[in-house]
Structure formats: structure tokens, C-alpha cells
Amino acid sequence: MVVGVLYTDNLKGFVLAVASSAFIGASFILKKKGLKRSGASGPRAVHTGNMKSGGADVGIT
């Protein structure tokens, strides 16, 4: 029956779309929490290179 096949295909697509949205939303929330947590402990990277010689910044001596 064609109607039954269309219904199951639509249902599969809907379930996949909802699951995908849930995973993307969870990923965004976890990333946001991680960034807030890492920002609360202060800066992590400090630039100490010599700005007069451009080679020192990229590792060329």
C-alpha cells in the first residue's frame, strides 16, 4: 500500500530531524557551558613574542 509507505517514510524523516535538532542543541549548550567554565578561570594564552621581528612569532629564527 502506497499510503503506508509514505507515512513510514515521513515518520522516519521527522524522527531523524527531531533527533538531529536535539543533538545540535545539546552540543551548543555543552559548548556554551564549557566556554563559560574556562573563561571563569582566567586567560589561558599569553603572547610573549617579540613584535619587532616577525619571524620570532612563527618560529623562524
Side-chain angles (χ1 to χ4, degrees), residues 8-20:
T8 56
D9 285 345
N10 285 340
L11 185 61
K12 285 180 189 177
F14 179 75
V15 169
L16 287 173
V18 170
S20 174

Side-chain angles (χ1 to χ4, degrees), residues 38 41-48:
S38 68
S41 61
R44 293 287 181 193
V46 178
H47 180 72
T48 58

Side-chain angles (χ1 to χ4, degrees), residues 16-33:
L16 287 173
V18 170
S20 174
S21 296
F23 283 123
I24 291 171
S27 170
F28 178 77
I29 290 169
L30 290 174
K31 182 175 80 170
K32 190 80 168 173
K33 285 185 175 185

